[in-house]
Amino acid sequence: MLASGGDFVADGLVASFSRPGPNITGLSVFARELSGKRLAILKEAIPGMTRVAAAFNTLNPGTRSLVKETEAAATKLGLKVLPLDIHFPDGVERAFAEAVRLRASAVVIISDGATIVHRAQLGSAALQHHLPTIFANRMYLEGGGLMSYGPDIIEVWRHAATYVDRILKGANPADMPIEQPTKFELVINLKTAKALGLTIPPSLLLRADQVIDQ
């Protein structure tokens, strides 16, 4: 049973989302369009932005495909992506200092287990180096991130319980396609925006599903 993972096909865990295999099923938070959506949101929040860093856990091979997705989406938006590999936990500060040196206007955080565990460190480093960030879900904003756009991860976990219940009641995993997200939420941390001296456009605030202001 898989829950809240990424591209299980690219990772070689399943044959396809619709027919994962005889013994594996679950839920994925992977959606290809998210990379472009996050970049578009950043570009709207930071007019004139042309360069954005994509920070990823260099020890996780699966994150590299997401960096490539981000680079492809950036080209369509007229942006240049600067890959920023991070060694956790001691390389976070150096990575953000490198983003400043490369003149990145913001940082997209490529999500994985390490970035979730070290979200407070990421948020703190971003504030220290005066860099806006966008993450995959609102859990990250507890650490001081600016924005998140992606599936409601709490709801995904709740829904995963229904899969467990069905399997325990005798359902065959081979008959249960891996579900992908269909609903996404935009969360903006105004406290972080104020600390960065950044004014979020009213149009973006109106579209936000949640605004954190304290």
Side-chain angles (χ1 to χ4, degrees):
M1 170 67 195
L2 303 170
S4 70
D7 189 347
F8 299 133
V9 176
D11 292 341
L13 296 175
V14 302
S16 70
F17 282 94
S18 59
R19 301 182 67 83
N23 299 312
I24 297 177
T25 189
L27 304 168
S28 170
V29 293
F30 176 74
R32 291 189 181 279
E33 68 271 19
L34 291 182
S35 295
K37 291 283 189 181
R38 292 185 186 117
L39 287 174
I41 290 168
L42 269 180
K43 190 173 182 179
E44 184 175 349
I46 309 169
M49 182 179 76
T50 58
R51 300 160 70 87
V52 59
F56 65 99
N57 175 17
T58 188
L59 297 180
N60 182 351
T63 59
R64 296 186 183 276
S65 64
L66 296 176
V67 173
K68 290 181 179 178
E69 292 283 347
T70 303
E71 289 174 329
T75 299
K76 298 176 182 178
L77 293 168
L79 298 173
K80 179 177 176 59
V81 168
L82 310 165
L84 198 67
D85 55 331
I86 299 180
H87 291 266
F88 289 98
D90 58 345
V92 175
E93 291 292 334
R94 288 197 301 272
F96 277 85
E98 178 67 4
V100 172
R101 189 187 72 79
L102 294 172
R103 294 181 287 112
S105 296
V107 181
V108 176
I109 307 296
I110 305 297
S111 182
D112 81 334
T115 58
I116 292 174
V117 169
H118 297 284
R119 61 187 181 273
Q121 191 178 1
L122 288 166
S124 175
L127 285 172
Q128 178 182 338
H129 293 283
H130 211 71
L131 283 166
T133 49
I134 190 163
F135 293 84
N137 64 69
R138 61 184 173 186
M139 285 180 59
Y140 284 100
L141 302 190
E142 299 170 6
L146 175 63
M147 296 185 292
S148 68
Y149 181 77
D152 182 339
I153 196 69
I154 303 300
E155 186 57 36
V156 171
W157 289 340
R158 286 175 180 154
H159 189 41
T162 67
Y163 264 55
V164 174
D165 181 63
R166 289 168 61 190
I167 292 171
L168 291 176
K169 290 178 178 177
N172 184 354
D175 298 326
M176 301 168 64
I178 291 176
E179 291 189 22
Q180 292 178 268
T182 57
K183 184 179 179 182
F184 308 99
E185 61 176 4
L186 170 62
V187 182
I188 299 172
N189 190 335
L190 278 186
K191 182 179 178 181
T192 298
K194 291 174 184 175
L196 293 171
L198 184 64
T199 300
I200 303 298
S203 59
L204 200 54
L205 290 173
L206 286 173
R207 299 206 309 275
D209 297 278
Q210 182 182 356
V211 175
I212 302 169
D213 56 8
Q214 60 180 4

